[in-house]
Amino acid sequence: MHTTLDAPLTGTALFHSRAGGFPLHLCSYVLLDADSNDTAELDQVVVIRVTALNGERFRLRNRDDVRRFLQAVGRLADEMAS
């Protein structure tokens, strides 16, 4: 289940994490559970594998980074992210 995000290119279109920074515009990502299986269940997401438009790859493992990324791509409502 690969998802591509077509975020508008604005000042907020960059995502910074412990793994590095990348633009959200046209990045693709896969949500993974604790066993590295694709999952659509947000409460089971442990790792997010991101591929930026330029092909650079990132793995988000830090719980705060995962939560902020899901928020940034509109998968998590603000009230659920706290």
Side-chain angles (χ1 to χ4, degrees), residues 18-58:
R18 293 173 192 245
F22 54 88
L24 290 173
H25 182 68
L26 294 178
C27 74
S28 62
Y29 61 95
V30 179
L31 307 177
L32 303 173
D33 65 15
D35 297 320
S36 295
N37 297 313
D38 290 4
T39 185
E41 302 298 322
L42 296 179
D43 61 339
Q44 295 180 9
V45 175
V46 176
V47 175
I48 301 176
R49 190 174 57 219
V50 180
T51 304
L53 180 60
N54 67 0
E56 199 168 353
R57 295 182 179 181
F58 301 89

Side-chain angles (χ1 to χ4, degrees), residues 10-22:
T10 66
T12 61
L14 292 176
F15 184 82
H16 296 282
S17 72
R18 293 173 192 245
F22 54 88

